[in-house]
Amino acid sequence: MEKLGVAIIGSGSAVPTTSLDNQGLTQLVDTSDEWIATRTGIKERRLAGADESLKTIATMASFKAIAAAGITAADIDLILLATSTPDDLFGTACQIQAELGATKAVAFDLTAACSGFVFGLVTAAQYIRTGVYQNVLLIGGDILSRWVDWQDRGTCILFGDGAGAVILQANESDRLLGFELKTDGTQNHYLNLAYKASTDELIPGVKVNKGNFQPITMNGKEVYRFAVQRVPEVIDKALFHANLSVDQIDWLILHQANQRILDAVAQRLNIPAHKVISNLAEYGNTSAASIPLALDEAVQQGKIKPGDIIATSGFGAGLTWGAAIFQWGR
């Protein structure tokens, strides 16, 4: 029988070695540990050093996921890297493919900011459900410290670096139970990492733009309002597609943006606090890495067990948001 279902069968994660706590941030901007912790729930974040890159941490997370899934790199058909901070603008997935020795894998980057992992999960599932690929490595990884303005206390307190990975495999029963993805480009201006150009005249009458990217800019109030309103809605829709009720969820893993958002979403959905996975106190907002990082930690701690039903939701720049309901393991 052809296996056209999807199972998520292994996870792995990796973070840089250097950590910066809230006390350390007080040397950079006018803030305090209490102010940051009360408003965000974040206590510290990991920052990539000079010898660390997206490639190095994503590769480490991938090796762990491959081992946990009981397959080899040679078994992987597709590598999807959800990131907004590639080491190379042409893409970093190919570099990871080479590092892993995943010689038969097709590899490409996917950019949907903090929603990237959920968008990637749904994308990977389609390749398996159509019978094209058997084993997909999905990585969520970001090094946001490269693009933070360390003088802007509205954003520098939030972001950290990390990577998480999962293996999706063709399976007789489908463990991706339901999903819903959304985009609203009219709200794009609330959260940006924008290109900033200066104009060069090559020869008279021929001008080109050259430049770099500006640091992250964010309207925190609007992003908070958007998340608290839209995330419960999109989880509800995904549950409807999965034909499940809220009380059948074993774990809620939201993008780790802000503890107040996590609490508000859980409250609106009537999900008790003990079912909500949160690790942002240690890592901050790691964008596309946050969901797989939290998932892997909960698996390692023995919280998440095979058969558990997980509701997950990513939300962020774009503005994009989405939810997926899946059952852990084969």
Side-chain angles (χ1 to χ4, degrees):
M1 180 185 139
E2 205 176 0
K3 296 178 178 178
L4 293 177
V6 181
I8 302 162
I9 61 165
S11 63
S13 59
V15 291
T17 47
T18 305
S19 78
L20 174 65
D21 63 13
N22 292 345
Q23 203 53 49
L25 277 175
T26 63
Q27 297 171 47
L28 297 172
V29 286
D30 179 18
T31 190
S32 70
D33 173 48
E34 192 209 6
W35 194 90
I36 299 168
T38 313
R39 281 161 182 76
T40 69
I42 299 164
K43 291 292 220 175
E44 59 182 315
R45 66 285 298 142
R46 299 295 184 97
L47 305 180
D51 58 341
E52 291 168 313
S53 63
L54 180 63
K55 180 181 79 173
T56 59
I57 60 171
T59 299
M60 208 181 300
S62 300
F63 272 128
K64 290 177 183 175
I66 291 164
I71 63 169
T72 68
D75 296 319
I76 296 168
D77 303 301
L78 171 66
I79 298 169
L80 270 181
L81 171 64
T83 189
S84 304
T85 56
D87 295 332
D88 180 329
L89 266 184
F90 288 153
T92 298
C94 301
Q95 296 176 16
I96 296 165
Q97 182 239 28
E99 288 289 311
L100 294 172
T103 48
K104 75 167 181 178
V106 177
F108 63 90
D109 291 21
L110 178 153
T111 303
C114 303
S115 307
F117 183 78
V118 173
F119 278 45
L121 192 67
V122 172
T123 303
Q126 307 318 307
Y127 283 100
I128 294 173
R129 285 173 167 176
T130 51
V132 178
Y133 296 134
Q134 297 289 303
N135 293 298
V136 179
L137 167 63
L138 168 63
I139 310 157
D142 272 301
I143 297 189
L144 288 168
S145 60
R146 291 172 174 167
W147 301 109
V148 165
D149 175 356
W150 293 100
Q151 262 44 70
D152 174 11
R153 72 170 184 176
T155 57
C156 77
I157 62 170
L158 299 172
F159 298 108
D161 305 336
V166 294
I167 299 289
L168 290 90
Q169 189 174 68
N171 198 54
E172 279 176 16
S173 65
D174 203 336
R175 303 296 191 194
L176 178 59
L177 308 174
F179 67 84
E180 180 86 10
L181 304 178
K182 295 281 188 183
T183 301
D184 181 0
T186 64
Q187 297 188 68
N188 178 268
H189 55 287
Y190 288 137
L191 182 50
N192 295 109
L193 204 175
Y195 173 71
K196 188 178 186 179
S198 58
T199 304
D200 275 8
E201 190 162 32
L202 299 180
I203 59 172
V206 179
K207 292 178 179 177
V208 293
N209 282 340
K210 293 181 82 168
N212 208 321
F213 291 89
Q214 294 185 82
I216 295 164
T217 58
M218 182 176 77
N219 181 326
K221 203 170 281 183
E222 289 299 334
V223 172
Y224 177 87
R225 189 181 297 165
F226 143 76
V228 170
Q229 184 186 353
R230 296 298 182 195
V231 173
E233 284 175 9
V234 84
I235 292 171
D236 265 338
K237 282 187 173 155
L239 281 167
F240 175 77
H241 297 315
N243 202 16
L244 292 170
S245 61
V246 168
D247 53 4
Q248 288 172 284
I249 295 171
D250 293 304
W251 303 103
L252 177 67
I253 307 181
L254 298 177
H255 162 51
Q256 307 284 298
N258 183 316
Q259 190 61 45
R260 285 163 65 202
I261 294 175
L262 271 62
D263 295 343
V265 170
Q267 208 174 345
R268 286 201 179 191
L269 289 166
N270 285 322
I271 294 174
H274 70 266
K275 289 185 175 185
V276 181
I277 305 267
S278 171
N279 68 354
L280 63 78
E282 290 86 53
Y283 304 111
N285 178 342
T286 56
S287 192
S290 79
I291 292 170
L293 193 56
L295 170 72
D296 183 53
E297 270 200 351
V299 170
Q300 299 307 322
Q301 291 162 358
K303 282 185 182 178
I304 293 176
K305 296 178 172 61
D308 282 0
I309 291 173
I310 297 162
T312 188
S313 179
F315 48 91
L319 294 176
T320 56
W321 66 108
I325 316 294
F326 62 91
Q327 204 162 7
W328 178 249
R330 289 182 177 86

